[in-house]
Amino acid sequence: ILSLLCWAAGEVAAYPPWDFSWGEPASREARADPSTWSWVGDSQSPGTYRQHPVMVQCQEAQLVVTVHRDLFGTGRLVNAADLTLGPAACKHSSLSRAHNTVTFTAGLHECGSTVQITPDSLIYRTLLNYDPSPASNPVIIRTNPAIIPIECHYPRRENVSSNAIRPTWAPFSSTLSAEEKLVFSLRLMNEDWSAERPFTGFQLGDVLNIQAEVGTESHVPLRLFVDSCVAALSPGADSSPHYTIIDFNGCLVDGRLDDTSSAFITPRPREDMLRFRIDVFRFAGDTRNLIYITCHLKVTPADQTPDPLNKACSFNKARNTWAPVEGTRDICSCCEMGNCGSPALSRSLNPLDRWPGRRFRRHDTKEAEADVVIGPVLLWRDLGAGGRQQEGGQGGVTAVLGVGTVLLCVVAGVGLAAAVLAIGVGRRRCARAQA
């Protein structure tokens, strides 16, 4: 009987006390973390909004985001004015009260979206923001804010337009090769650098693996450098607030701090690729928990010796000195002084001009460098000890109930054992009396 009671109590404790959707585990998992919802696909019927509250259509020159106002699947409709698109907080373009949907239509480069260039794709990224306004009582808020990342992928080497290609057009890839233009890119990589990883799910204490590349096409060998990197809450190095990660023409100054391990990866995989790691951080007081990283990339001829204006230097805490990825240590000495030459002078002198026998058109001076943005990198919200217990689903509550159940069973077992022992002693006394 005691074993049966303990088993029944354990089964009851395994269910969360406030969740009455035991028969729908899939829907319960979908509601566990609404901030990670994003779907890319065709339009769905209104009856499927519980599985697809956000739908994205990536069109030729714009994206269309359709949001059902029952965003969290609870039956409560969110206010359309609380939904915005991108860091620029663009408002919705239409509202359907019949279907309870909000539609955003924006160009691929509008609303503060960012573009990432990879060898095979153009990736446009933006955010759907939900920032609930106070209810009728301004003292309370009944829902949490949410950030939903949205991406549109376009092939680089194919024709994106649905129109027929005119015979007079020159193929895009052939034009690139003929003009010898350079394509700079930044990628967020996984732990072993074998593939790209999503921009979501980071926590304080994690590490961002960032890979900088330049597509050389038919170019002569090049060496890539990261001249500077700045983190901010929106794209662009001039945003405020901002935090400098790399400065002084290739000094990874974030690694100079005592509580970081940020550094360039040595050796390089290739001359036209450079990798570095930075510790995850967030801006104090920012409720969105996201960062954009803008880096200025540039190239020099691969056979050119690194110098104070073209270098990649990390701070070695064990030796208390700066060390370059390649070149002599003296090129990094200016990192400690914070003065490695005039950036304006460095950018005005195109290092490709030193190549013999190469002719440049007037607009080619910008080919050797570019500003590239990566982000938004989304961090999990730090809700404290109580918040983390709730964020983990019903597991935290179940653990407490499980401990209580075990204690109850132990107490009941001890009491029952005592009763059995007392009965045994009484029987022995009766037997002695009869004897």
Side-chain angles (χ1 to χ4, degrees):
I1 294 175
L2 176 63
S3 300
L4 181 61
L5 290 176
C6 290
W7 174 82
E11 289 296 317
V12 173
Y15 290 100
W18 306 113
D19 189 354
F20 298 98
S21 59
W22 298 341
E24 300 175 354
S27 62
R28 187 169 65 250
E29 292 176 1
R31 293 194 299 268
D33 188 9
S35 64
T36 61
W37 289 346
S38 64
W39 286 268
V40 178
D42 299 330
S43 299
Q44 303 288 335
S45 61
T48 63
Y49 71 87
R50 290 187 180 273
Q51 289 77 25
H52 301 278
V54 180
M55 293 172 289
V56 181
Q57 293 179 347
C58 300
Q59 301 179 359
E60 180 178 344
Q62 65 182 8
L63 58 88
V64 179
V65 182
T66 304
V67 186
H68 199 282
R69 293 179 60 194
D70 187 5
L71 184 61
F72 301 103
T74 60
R76 294 188 178 93
L77 303 183
V78 301
N79 189 358
D82 296 338
L83 296 169
T84 57
L85 185 66
C90 293
K91 299 296 183 181
H92 60 273
S93 55
S94 63
L95 171 64
S96 173
R97 298 190 181 278
H99 297 90
N100 286 325
T101 58
V102 181
T103 303
F104 296 85
T105 303
L108 296 177
H109 294 279
E110 296 177 353
C111 301
S113 64
T114 61
V115 58
Q116 179 186 4
I117 302 176
T118 67
D120 301 321
S121 304
L122 295 175
I123 304 175
Y124 292 88
R125 291 187 173 92
T126 188
L127 301 172
L128 177 66
N129 306 297
Y130 172 62
D131 188 12
S133 56
S136 56
N137 187 340
V139 180
I140 62 173
I141 295 179
R142 297 188 182 276
T143 55
N144 291 323
I147 298 177
I148 303 173
I150 295 174
E151 294 184 0
C152 283
H153 294 241
Y154 296 93
R156 276 189 58 198
R157 302 182 184 276
E158 303 292 340
N159 178 36
V160 177
S161 173
S162 58
N163 300 324
I165 300 179
R166 299 179 182 179
T168 56
W169 288 3
F172 181 67
S173 58
S174 300
T175 304
L176 267 179
S177 300
E179 296 182 358
E180 295 183 342
K181 290 184 178 180
L182 305 178
V183 179
F184 295 88
S185 64
L186 286 176
R187 297 187 185 186
L188 193 60
M189 308 298 290
N190 58 11
E191 293 182 358
D192 59 0
W193 304 92
S194 60
E196 292 188 64
R197 65 147 295 166
F199 282 57
T200 59
F202 287 98
Q203 299 179 357
L204 296 181
D206 291 343
V207 175
L208 297 179
N209 292 335
I210 300 179
Q211 179 172 289
E213 297 179 62
V214 57
T216 58
E217 297 291 338
S218 61
H219 226 292
V220 296
L222 301 174
R223 180 180 289 134
L224 175 68
F225 293 100
V226 181
D227 201 59
S228 62
C229 277
V230 175
L233 296 176
S234 59
D238 298 330
S239 303
S240 181
H242 63 268
Y243 174 74
T244 302
I245 300 172
I246 299 176
D247 204 356
F248 311 126
N249 307 105
C251 303
L252 210 162
V253 294
D254 182 58
R256 185 67 175 84
L257 303 178
D258 295 335
D259 56 349
T260 65
S261 59
S262 304
F264 286 106
I265 305 300
T266 305
R268 296 173 181 257
R270 302 192 310 265
E271 293 293 339
D272 57 359
M273 180 184 296
L274 185 61
R275 294 171 172 173
F276 59 98
R277 291 175 172 170
I278 58 175
D279 294 333
V280 173
F281 61 89
R282 67 177 180 86
F283 287 94
D286 173 46
T287 58
R288 294 173 293 175
N289 287 325
L290 59 85
I291 57 174
Y292 290 86
I293 299 177
T294 303
C295 295
H296 185 80
L297 310 182
K298 64 181 181 181
V299 294
T300 64
D303 58 357
Q304 176 180 321
T305 304
D307 54 48
L309 293 180
N310 303 282
K311 62 185 182 300
C313 297
S314 305
F315 187 76
N316 189 325
K317 291 184 172 63
R319 298 183 178 181
N320 196 31
T321 184
W322 290 88
V325 173
E326 60 264 309
T328 58
R329 290 184 176 271
D330 60 315
I331 65 174
C332 297
S333 59
C334 61
C335 294
E336 194 69 24
M337 298 182 294
N339 183 14
C340 295
S342 172
L345 178 61
S346 171
R347 297 182 183 182
S348 63
L349 296 177
N350 187 354
L352 301 184
D353 289 337
R354 293 191 283 268
W355 294 355
R358 176 168 171 82
R359 297 180 180 179
F360 288 90
R361 294 181 295 274
R362 182 171 300 176
H363 65 273
D364 282 338
T365 56
K366 297 182 179 179
E367 285 189 0
E369 54 188 290
D371 290 327
V372 185
V373 181
I374 189 172
V377 178
L378 301 179
L379 283 67
W380 292 115
R381 289 183 176 85
D382 186 8
L383 303 176
R388 282 195 299 271
Q389 186 178 15
Q390 185 176 1
E391 186 180 43
Q394 291 81 9
V397 178
T398 303
V400 175
L401 292 177
V403 171
T405 304
V406 172
L407 291 178
L408 178 61
C409 290
V410 170
V411 172
V414 172
L416 182 59
V420 172
L421 181 61
I423 293 174
V425 172
R427 287 181 176 177
R428 290 179 184 176
R429 289 180 179 176
C430 290
R432 291 177 181 177
Q434 292 176 0

mmCIF file of all heavy atoms in Angstrom, residues 12 20-21 34 39 54 58 100 123-124 163 205 236 264 270-271 277 283 301-302 331 351 390 432-434:
data_model
loop_
_atom_site.group_PDB
_atom_site.id
_atom_site.type_symbol
_atom_site.label_atom_id
_atom_site.label_comp_id
_atom_site.label_asym_id
_atom_site.label_seq_id
_atom_site.Cartn_x
_atom_site.Cartn_y
_atom_site.Cartn_z
ATOM 1 N N VAL A 12 1.639 12.415 -9.701
ATOM 2 C CA VAL A 12 0.976 13.713 -9.584
ATOM 3 C C VAL A 12 1.999 14.834 -9.601
ATOM 4 O O VAL A 12 1.825 15.879 -10.219
ATOM 5 C CB VAL A 12 0.127 13.773 -8.298
ATOM 6 C CG1 VAL A 12 -0.420 15.186 -8.073
ATOM 7 C CG2 VAL A 12 -1.016 12.771 -8.405
ATOM 8 N N PHE A 20 -2.720 23.066 -17.720
ATOM 9 C CA PHE A 20 -3.816 22.129 -17.951
ATOM 10 C C PHE A 20 -3.828 21.630 -19.382
ATOM 11 O O PHE A 20 -4.849 21.211 -19.884
ATOM 12 C CB PHE A 20 -5.148 22.824 -17.636
ATOM 13 C CG PHE A 20 -5.241 23.239 -16.196
ATOM 14 C CD1 PHE A 20 -4.945 24.542 -15.834
ATOM 15 C CD2 PHE A 20 -5.579 22.332 -15.196
ATOM 16 C CE1 PHE A 20 -5.009 24.925 -14.512
ATOM 17 C CE2 PHE A 20 -5.652 22.729 -13.876
ATOM 18 C CZ PHE A 20 -5.362 24.026 -13.535
ATOM 19 N N SER A 21 -2.661 21.688 -20.081
ATOM 20 C CA SER A 21 -2.582 21.231 -21.465
ATOM 21 C C SER A 21 -1.752 19.962 -21.552
ATOM 22 O O SER A 21 -0.901 19.819 -22.402
ATOM 23 C CB SER A 21 -1.958 22.321 -22.339
ATOM 24 O OG SER A 21 -0.666 22.642 -21.869
ATOM 25 N N PRO A 34 8.452 32.110 -26.507
ATOM 26 C CA PRO A 34 7.923 32.799 -27.685
ATOM 27 C C PRO A 34 8.944 33.686 -28.346
ATOM 28 O O PRO A 34 8.771 34.068 -29.487
ATOM 29 C CB PRO A 34 6.742 33.603 -27.114
ATOM 30 C CG PRO A 34 7.056 33.771 -25.664
ATOM 31 C CD PRO A 34 7.802 32.521 -25.266
ATOM 32 N N TRP A 39 9.284 31.955 -38.675
ATOM 33 C CA TRP A 39 9.024 31.007 -39.747
ATOM 34 C C TRP A 39 9.199 31.716 -41.063
ATOM 35 O O TRP A 39 8.883 32.902 -41.211
ATOM 36 C CB TRP A 39 7.602 30.449 -39.668
ATOM 37 C CG TRP A 39 7.431 29.466 -38.575
ATOM 38 C CD1 TRP A 39 7.577 28.111 -38.625
ATOM 39 C CD2 TRP A 39 7.088 29.764 -37.218
ATOM 40 N NE1 TRP A 39 7.355 27.562 -37.405
ATOM 41 C CE2 TRP A 39 7.043 28.538 -36.524
ATOM 42 C CE3 TRP A 39 6.808 30.937 -36.521
ATOM 43 C CZ2 TRP A 39 6.740 28.445 -35.190
ATOM 44 C CZ3 TRP A 39 6.511 30.846 -35.190
ATOM 45 C CH2 TRP A 39 6.475 29.616 -34.536
ATOM 46 N N VAL A 54 3.810 33.894 -36.774
ATOM 47 C CA VAL A 54 4.576 34.847 -37.573
ATOM 48 C C VAL A 54 4.920 34.176 -38.897
ATOM 49 O O VAL A 54 5.517 33.098 -38.919
ATOM 50 C CB VAL A 54 5.864 35.291 -36.849
ATOM 51 C CG1 VAL A 54 6.637 36.270 -37.711
ATOM 52 C CG2 VAL A 54 5.525 35.932 -35.505
ATOM 53 N N CYS A 58 9.716 36.319 -48.383
ATOM 54 C CA CYS A 58 10.904 37.001 -48.903
ATOM 55 C C CYS A 58 10.708 37.227 -50.392
ATOM 56 O O CYS A 58 10.811 36.290 -51.193
ATOM 57 C CB CYS A 58 12.152 36.154 -48.634
ATOM 58 S SG CYS A 58 12.444 35.848 -46.872
ATOM 59 N N ASN A 100 -7.561 39.319 -37.549
ATOM 60 C CA ASN A 100 -6.707 39.644 -36.400
ATOM 61 C C ASN A 100 -5.222 39.498 -36.742
ATOM 62 O O ASN A 100 -4.444 38.897 -35.999
ATOM 63 C CB ASN A 100 -7.051 38.758 -35.197
ATOM 64 C CG ASN A 100 -8.358 39.160 -34.543
ATOM 65 O OD1 ASN A 100 -8.691 40.342 -34.495
ATOM 66 N ND2 ASN A 100 -9.105 38.184 -34.063
ATOM 67 N N ILE A 123 22.219 37.327 -47.085
ATOM 68 C CA ILE A 123 21.329 37.070 -45.963
ATOM 69 C C ILE A 123 20.918 38.404 -45.350
ATOM 70 O O ILE A 123 21.764 39.146 -44.841
ATOM 71 C CB ILE A 123 22.007 36.184 -44.901
ATOM 72 C CG1 ILE A 123 22.500 34.885 -45.535
ATOM 73 C CG2 ILE A 123 21.038 35.890 -43.764
ATOM 74 C CD1 ILE A 123 23.290 34.016 -44.581
ATOM 75 N N TYR A 124 19.640 38.713 -45.437
ATOM 76 C CA TYR A 124 19.105 39.931 -44.835
ATOM 77 C C TYR A 124 18.461 39.564 -43.501
ATOM 78 O O TYR A 124 17.645 38.649 -43.427
ATOM 79 C CB TYR A 124 18.068 40.584 -45.757
ATOM 80 C CG TYR A 124 18.667 41.152 -47.027
ATOM 81 C CD1 TYR A 124 18.824 40.364 -48.153
ATOM 82 C CD2 TYR A 124 19.098 42.475 -47.080
ATOM 83 C CE1 TYR A 124 19.383 40.872 -49.316
ATOM 84 C CE2 TYR A 124 19.648 42.999 -48.239
ATOM 85 C CZ TYR A 124 19.792 42.191 -49.353
ATOM 86 O OH TYR A 124 20.355 42.708 -50.483
ATOM 87 N N ASN A 163 11.707 38.031 -63.516
ATOM 88 C CA ASN A 163 11.635 38.405 -64.922
ATOM 89 C C ASN A 163 12.709 37.683 -65.729
ATOM 90 O O ASN A 163 13.738 37.260 -65.198
ATOM 91 C CB ASN A 163 11.813 39.921 -65.076
ATOM 92 C CG ASN A 163 10.745 40.696 -64.336
ATOM 93 O OD1 ASN A 163 9.596 40.262 -64.285
ATOM 94 N ND2 ASN A 163 11.123 41.831 -63.760
ATOM 95 N N GLY A 205 29.015 34.788 -20.565
ATOM 96 C CA GLY A 205 29.964 33.725 -20.308
ATOM 97 C C GLY A 205 30.265 32.905 -21.549
ATOM 98 O O GLY A 205 31.264 32.176 -21.577
ATOM 99 N N GLY A 236 26.032 50.158 -37.376
ATOM 100 C CA GLY A 236 26.804 51.379 -37.553
ATOM 101 C C GLY A 236 27.729 51.652 -36.384
ATOM 102 O O GLY A 236 27.366 51.443 -35.216
ATOM 103 N N PHE A 264 42.725 37.062 -31.228
ATOM 104 C CA PHE A 264 42.775 36.533 -32.583
ATOM 105 C C PHE A 264 43.232 35.074 -32.534
ATOM 106 O O PHE A 264 43.975 34.673 -31.635
ATOM 107 C CB PHE A 264 43.749 37.343 -33.450
ATOM 108 C CG PHE A 264 43.236 38.700 -33.847
ATOM 109 C CD1 PHE A 264 43.733 39.849 -33.253
ATOM 110 C CD2 PHE A 264 42.259 38.825 -34.824
ATOM 111 C CE1 PHE A 264 43.269 41.098 -33.617
ATOM 112 C CE2 PHE A 264 41.783 40.072 -35.202
ATOM 113 C CZ PHE A 264 42.284 41.214 -34.596
ATOM 114 N N ARG A 270 43.751 30.817 -43.773
ATOM 115 C CA ARG A 270 44.230 31.283 -45.077
ATOM 116 C C ARG A 270 44.599 32.752 -44.948
ATOM 117 O O ARG A 270 44.197 33.437 -44.001
ATOM 118 C CB ARG A 270 43.158 31.122 -46.166
ATOM 119 C CG ARG A 270 42.647 29.732 -46.377
ATOM 120 C CD ARG A 270 41.827 29.661 -47.680
ATOM 121 N NE ARG A 270 40.827 30.719 -47.768
ATOM 122 C CZ ARG A 270 39.551 30.570 -47.409
ATOM 123 N NH1 ARG A 270 39.138 29.420 -46.902
ATOM 124 N NH2 ARG A 270 38.696 31.573 -47.538
ATOM 125 N N GLU A 271 45.355 33.248 -45.914
ATOM 126 C CA GLU A 271 45.748 34.658 -45.872
ATOM 127 C C GLU A 271 44.551 35.579 -46.018
ATOM 128 O O GLU A 271 44.540 36.683 -45.469
ATOM 129 C CB GLU A 271 46.779 34.956 -46.978
ATOM 130 C CG GLU A 271 48.116 34.272 -46.785
ATOM 131 C CD GLU A 271 48.860 34.811 -45.580
ATOM 132 O OE1 GLU A 271 48.553 35.926 -45.148
ATOM 133 O OE2 GLU A 271 49.725 34.102 -45.048
ATOM 134 N N ARG A 277 37.952 35.605 -31.377
ATOM 135 C CA ARG A 277 36.933 35.283 -30.395
ATOM 136 C C ARG A 277 36.774 36.443 -29.426
ATOM 137 O O ARG A 277 37.756 37.057 -29.022
ATOM 138 C CB ARG A 277 37.305 34.017 -29.618
ATOM 139 C CG ARG A 277 37.251 32.739 -30.433
ATOM 140 C CD ARG A 277 37.743 31.549 -29.645
ATOM 141 N NE ARG A 277 37.534 30.279 -30.353
ATOM 142 C CZ ARG A 277 38.030 29.116 -29.973
ATOM 143 N NH1 ARG A 277 38.774 29.043 -28.874
ATOM 144 N NH2 ARG A 277 37.795 28.027 -30.667
ATOM 145 N N PHE A 283 24.837 45.441 -23.086
ATOM 146 C CA PHE A 283 24.869 46.823 -22.620
ATOM 147 C C PHE A 283 23.992 46.961 -21.378
ATOM 148 O O PHE A 283 22.858 46.473 -21.345
ATOM 149 C CB PHE A 283 24.388 47.774 -23.716
ATOM 150 C CG PHE A 283 25.380 47.960 -24.827
ATOM 151 C CD1 PHE A 283 25.300 47.178 -25.969
ATOM 152 C CD2 PHE A 283 26.390 48.885 -24.719
ATOM 153 C CE1 PHE A 283 26.214 47.330 -26.989
ATOM 154 C CE2 PHE A 283 27.312 49.052 -25.733
ATOM 155 C CZ PHE A 283 27.232 48.272 -26.874
ATOM 156 N N PRO A 301 48.546 43.304 -50.086
ATOM 157 C CA PRO A 301 49.145 42.180 -50.812
ATOM 158 C C PRO A 301 49.684 41.139 -49.842
ATOM 159 O O PRO A 301 50.215 41.462 -48.779
ATOM 160 C CB PRO A 301 50.276 42.846 -51.602
ATOM 161 C CG PRO A 301 49.859 44.275 -51.725
ATOM 162 C CD PRO A 301 49.117 44.602 -50.475
ATOM 163 N N ALA A 302 49.508 39.864 -50.178
ATOM 164 C CA ALA A 302 49.912 38.792 -49.271
ATOM 165 C C ALA A 302 51.401 38.803 -48.990
ATOM 166 O O ALA A 302 51.835 38.357 -47.929
ATOM 167 C CB ALA A 302 49.487 37.444 -49.858
ATOM 168 N N ILE A 331 55.516 45.622 -34.037
ATOM 169 C CA ILE A 331 54.390 46.287 -34.705
ATOM 170 C C ILE A 331 53.196 46.419 -33.775
ATOM 171 O O ILE A 331 52.273 47.188 -34.058
ATOM 172 C CB ILE A 331 53.984 45.533 -35.986
ATOM 173 C CG1 ILE A 331 53.441 44.134 -35.654
ATOM 174 C CG2 ILE A 331 55.157 45.432 -36.955
ATOM 175 C CD1 ILE A 331 52.899 43.391 -36.863
ATOM 176 N N PRO A 351 46.464 50.357 -50.093
ATOM 177 C CA PRO A 351 47.630 49.484 -50.198
ATOM 178 C C PRO A 351 47.739 48.796 -51.543
ATOM 179 O O PRO A 351 48.815 48.384 -51.937
ATOM 180 C CB PRO A 351 47.408 48.459 -49.074
ATOM 181 C CG PRO A 351 45.947 48.506 -48.798
ATOM 182 C CD PRO A 351 45.525 49.919 -49.062
ATOM 183 N N GLN A 390 11.708 29.573 -13.395
ATOM 184 C CA GLN A 390 10.480 29.560 -14.174
ATOM 185 C C GLN A 390 10.773 29.369 -15.642
ATOM 186 O O GLN A 390 10.028 28.725 -16.351
ATOM 187 C CB GLN A 390 9.733 30.878 -13.957
ATOM 188 C CG GLN A 390 8.365 30.901 -14.644
ATOM 189 C CD GLN A 390 7.623 32.159 -14.324
ATOM 190 O OE1 GLN A 390 8.130 33.019 -13.615
ATOM 191 N NE2 GLN A 390 6.439 32.282 -14.846
ATOM 192 N N ARG A 432 4.879 -14.167 26.329
ATOM 193 C CA ARG A 432 5.541 -14.431 27.592
ATOM 194 C C ARG A 432 4.551 -14.523 28.735
ATOM 195 O O ARG A 432 4.678 -15.332 29.652
ATOM 196 C CB ARG A 432 6.565 -13.315 27.872
ATOM 197 C CG ARG A 432 7.771 -13.360 26.908
ATOM 198 C CD ARG A 432 8.686 -12.198 27.179
ATOM 199 N NE ARG A 432 9.815 -12.212 26.255
ATOM 200 C CZ ARG A 432 10.749 -11.260 26.239
ATOM 201 N NH1 ARG A 432 10.664 -10.218 27.108
ATOM 202 N NH2 ARG A 432 11.724 -11.320 25.352
ATOM 203 N N ALA A 433 3.515 -13.654 28.709
ATOM 204 C CA ALA A 433 2.514 -13.683 29.797
ATOM 205 C C ALA A 433 1.756 -15.009 29.801
ATOM 206 O O ALA A 433 1.485 -15.583 30.856
ATOM 207 C CB ALA A 433 1.545 -12.508 29.640
ATOM 208 N N GLN A 434 1.390 -15.495 28.606
ATOM 209 C CA GLN A 434 0.685 -16.760 28.543
ATOM 210 C C GLN A 434 1.586 -17.924 29.032
ATOM 211 O O GLN A 434 1.127 -18.839 29.711
ATOM 212 C CB GLN A 434 0.210 -17.029 27.125
ATOM 213 C CG GLN A 434 -0.900 -16.069 26.669
ATOM 214 C CD GLN A 434 -1.284 -16.289 25.219
ATOM 215 O OE1 GLN A 434 -0.694 -17.167 24.568
ATOM 216 N NE2 GLN A 434 -2.266 -15.557 24.776
#
